[in-house]
Amino acid sequence: MSVIRVLNHCEACDPKSDPHLMAEWLVTNGLGGYASGTVIGSITRRYHGLLIAALPNPLGRMMMLNGLSERLRLPDSRVVYTGAEELTGISPETTLPLSEFRLEAGLPVWRYEVGGFVLEKRLFLLYRQNTVHVTYLLLSGKGKLRLGLRPAMHFRSHDAPVSGQPSTHYRLSVYEDQFEITSAPDLPVLRLIVHSPSTAFTFDSKETSLIPYRTERDRGYEWQGSLWSPGYFRTDLNEGDRATLVASTEGWETIRSLSPEEAFRVELDRRKLLVGAALPQAQTGPAAELVLAADQFLITPAGRLADSPARVSGDEIRTVIAGYPWFTDWGRDTMISLEGLTLVTGRGAEAGLILRMFAEYARDGLIPNLFPEGKSEGLYHTADATLWFFHALHRYVRISNDRATLKLILPKLVEIIEHHRNGTLFGIGMDPKDALLRQGQEGYQLTWMDAKVGDWVVTPRRGKAVEINALWYNALRLMEGWLKEDDQEDAMRRMRETADRVRESFNRRFWYEQGGYLYDVVDAEDGGNDDACRPNQTFAISLDREVLDRVYWKPVMDVVTDRLLTPVGLRSLAPGHPDYKARYYGDLRSRDAAYHQGTVWAWLIGPYVDAWLKLNPGKEAEARGLLSGLVEHLNEACIGSISEVFDAEAPYTPRGCVAQAWSVAEVLRCWCIQHETAVRRVPQLG
């Protein structure tokens, strides 16, 4: 397997540059835990750390090891530092420049060169363990190179402010080569061990000076905090020697079950299998990188293992992290991402587990909008996640032919449709006058344009939203077919009649003749129709059961292409609208004011490509060209992944989450757009 992306020194961003432009890396563990940081080692986010462990509720994800100060002593007694100067207090003049950063099989590798020595560092997390390995290999150099490693930490929720006091209750215990750091009784133990030719530890407890978390400052959060360190390890390396620091919240038996070399081989083999199981189109080049990026979002949720209703049915539990570093699993994001993350990558069995799990959580005709950090129960304030569930199930069944799962879930789907007909929570329900679906409740944001600050819902879109009704029609038509297959003729005819009414009403109500595109909301809360030009209208064409009459396809797509399309996705609002914002930056209120008011969303390239291909059948190669800006983006922000959002104007600066599930999934899916028959030949990973 050759999946490599390289940044040379000039491409590794200067730490004094805009923190939103800094190159970052991400490694995950299949439980929701992760490690992340900047390529050059500067800590700029509260989420930057070497071990963010995914722990049972109510703990959630915990920052356990923030960083390592790395000191090199050369044979001539010169001392230089690599990585984050924040952890050392050393001036930048004595910090060793990074000569190269690269990803190999999606895993980060750093290369340093000084005084004739070449040192390589690698980092990975063990799959489904809260364990990180950081390995240093001396590739070349004459004489001994002394490596010093000082761990620094602040046990806290990964979302917690950085300003808390880190050193109040820490205690270090040592037994032979095993080091344990404890804090409050309700917090986990951090276990450390170093594997090397010779290791010594110096007890030197200290607290760093205040670290400026630059990105947190620019995002309007508390941005200064210190870390605590118990002391430092040191080891002498000759050419060919390696040293590995292992940090973990697992027990010692688990930590010692594999040597560092064995653990690394296991992880490389797992990644080789992932790429090999994907569609042929996804086994090389940028698509292979995206297959590995997709793996980061598919998890067994550590926090909910004990109390998931899926356990009652005997299923394993799988879900999708919406984005790193701060999102949990969201229903909407999961359903939109499912095809790209699982079906294109040959992981259809996991797709089935995810769909069955969300079906178990359905309440009052809705699947959860999200599962909050550290909680077992979902929140249900969404008008579209449940309708996306029908879309995801359809794509899954079409590709996997898993009729058993469809038959199992079908009664739940009938119940969902009835709740939508009769009205359910948050004002979600069918208007009997025209069969269109309306939604909206004061204080709630129910569509995917869901920004809210305090009591301010930025884009409430209360009324009959265009994509909600496109999804509603799609769900009704899918149910018509599924009920026919199940010999439920009366129920099937009722679905058909409702779908016919929806289609007629939609085309009559949503076409905005003056603008030549579709209204975003009709029967809005002020009584009128919202003529804001938004990407939501694209779904009226892109979905498998398109609700929009063909005569309107080209004018709608011409407007979307002219006013919303960018090299990295679609704008959420067309320029010229009074609420349009060209940049997404500043504190939370400023950012959320722009979140869906112009800001570009990468995932929207997926429905755009689907709709474009319906107008341009057989031009898949040209459609792949629409992804070129996002492929180039793999070399910035989070290297090897795709950001959540971008500024609405050039240079389209990446913003938001550095790695977003539906961004990765939709680009990967569109790259492999001709995959439907091929997927059936791909072995499914359990």
Side-chain angles (χ1 to χ4, degrees), residues 348 352 356 393 396-407:
R356 292 192 293 273
L393 179 62
Y396 167 70
V397 172
R398 185 176 68 179
I399 291 169
S400 70
N401 201 31
D402 181 3
R403 320 310 288 190
T405 288
L406 175 60
K407 191 172 184 63

Side-chain angles (χ1 to χ4, degrees), residues 336-571:
I336 292 171
S337 303
L338 194 73
E339 184 176 6
L341 296 185
T342 62
L343 303 180
V344 174
T345 60
R347 301 173 73 163
E350 291 180 76
L353 292 173
I354 291 167
L355 289 166
R356 292 192 293 273
M357 186 201 79
F358 271 91
E360 291 286 348
Y361 274 102
R363 303 285 185 275
D364 300 306
L366 303 173
I367 68 167
N369 186 34
L370 78 152
F371 292 92
E373 188 83 48
K375 305 291 184 182
S376 297
E377 294 298 320
L379 301 179
Y380 289 81
H381 54 301
T382 172
D384 58 348
T386 311
L387 301 175
W388 278 113
F389 182 79
F390 288 80
H391 168 81
L393 179 62
H394 166 62
R395 292 290 177 94
Y396 167 70
V397 172
R398 185 176 68 179
I399 291 169
S400 70
N401 201 31
D402 181 3
R403 320 310 288 190
T405 288
L406 175 60
K407 191 172 184 63
L408 177 70
I409 294 177
L410 190 59
K412 185 80 69 173
L413 301 179
V414 172
E415 180 182 323
I416 287 170
I417 293 293
E418 289 308 304
H419 273 287
H420 281 69
R421 285 184 194 274
N422 300 324
T424 184
L425 307 176
F426 309 109
I428 300 168
M430 187 182 79
D431 185 342
K433 295 177 183 177
D434 56 14
L436 295 176
L437 205 61
R438 56 193 173 193
Q439 60 83 28
Q441 181 171 318
E442 190 72 28
Y444 286 92
Q445 65 285 30
L446 302 179
T447 74
W448 81 272
M449 293 186 160
D450 58 357
K452 182 182 179 183
V453 184
D455 294 330
W456 176 38
V457 177
V458 182
T459 49
R461 305 180 69 231
R462 300 186 188 105
K464 300 167 182 174
V466 63
E467 83 281 8
I468 300 296
N469 281 282
L471 287 161
W472 173 231
Y473 177 81
N474 186 62
L476 290 166
R477 287 297 189 208
L478 292 175
M479 283 296 292
E480 178 188 344
W482 291 334
L483 290 167
K484 182 177 182 180
E485 179 182 324
D486 201 50
D487 295 325
Q488 299 188 44
E489 292 293 329
D490 290 343
M492 180 270 291
R493 281 193 293 272
R494 190 177 181 213
M495 292 292 170
R496 178 191 299 162
E497 291 167 0
T498 305
D500 288 344
R501 289 188 63 205
V502 171
R503 186 180 184 96
E504 187 280 327
S505 298
F506 185 96
N507 285 276
R508 175 170 48 85
R509 300 292 313 280
F510 277 95
W511 175 246
Y512 175 40
E513 182 69 34
Q514 183 178 345
Y517 57 89
L518 301 183
Y519 286 114
D520 191 54
V521 180
V522 301
D523 293 344
E525 58 184 334
D526 62 2
N529 300 329
D530 182 359
D531 63 4
C533 181
R534 296 189 183 273
N536 306 306
Q537 60 191 304
T538 313
F539 296 104
I541 304 170
S542 67
L543 290 167
D544 290 332
R545 305 294 186 264
E546 61 273 348
V547 67
L548 188 64
D549 288 345
R550 187 175 291 268
V551 67
Y552 299 124
W553 288 9
K554 187 176 186 304
V556 165
M557 287 300 290
D558 285 346
V559 169
V560 170
T561 301
D562 180 58
R563 303 183 66 184
L564 301 177
L565 181 65
T566 77
V568 288
L570 301 186
R571 296 185 181 97

Side-chain angles (χ1 to χ4, degrees), residues 10 16-17 38 57 106 117 121 173 203 249 254 509 537 594 599 606 621 634 669 672:
C10 67
K16 298 182 178 62
S17 66
T38 61
N57 292 335
F117 290 92
K121 178 175 75 171
S173 303
F203 295 91
T249 61
T254 300
R509 300 292 313 280
Q537 60 191 304
T599 296
L634 291 172
R669 181 183 67 82
C672 304

